[in-house]
Amino acid sequence: VAAFVRLVVATGGGIVLRQTNWAALRNGVVVFLDPTPEVLELRLADETQHRPLLKGRASEIRRILDDRRPLYEQADVAVRVDDPAESPKTTADK
């Protein structure tokens, strides 16, 4: 992936947990899409089949976000996502 130029790579939220991943991420510009817990809850509502720890657990989503926030904040750019109806294009245009 690092060999490509002008490439966007969407990772899972847990990528920040390993320092070796940060070394790879630093080959480009890291953008943190910074959602509110409410936006995450809405977006993950249909994902509970694949994410059993989150099933009906808004508090677990908040805990994970709070635990990882210091790691996410190492990104080069943060874009706040606080409107669940916002389209990906609108977010990208920020």
Side-chain angles (χ1 to χ4, degrees):
V1 174
F4 291 93
V5 177
R6 301 181 59 98
L7 176 72
V8 174
V9 178
T11 67
I15 194 168
V16 299
L17 299 175
R18 299 183 79 193
Q19 191 59 38
T20 56
N21 293 340
W22 273 108
L25 290 170
R26 291 289 176 212
N27 287 319
V29 175
V30 179
V31 178
F32 166 38
L33 298 178
D34 184 10
T36 64
E38 294 77 21
V39 167
L40 276 179
E41 289 169 30
L42 287 170
R43 289 186 177 175
L44 294 172
D46 293 334
E47 296 287 323
T48 56
Q49 181 178 3
H50 305 292
R51 301 170 191 242
L53 291 177
L54 301 181
K55 190 170 190 171
R57 307 267 319 260
S59 61
E60 186 66 11
I61 292 171
R62 289 175 187 272
R63 185 196 62 75
I64 290 170
L65 184 59
D66 289 344
D67 288 350
R68 294 179 182 176
R69 184 165 297 284
L71 299 169
Y72 294 145
E73 289 175 346
Q74 294 178 43
D76 300 304
V77 178
V79 177
R80 187 71 173 163
V81 181
D82 52 11
D83 180 358
E86 184 174 270
S87 73
K89 181 175 180 352
T90 301
T91 301
D93 288 343
K94 287 182 178 181

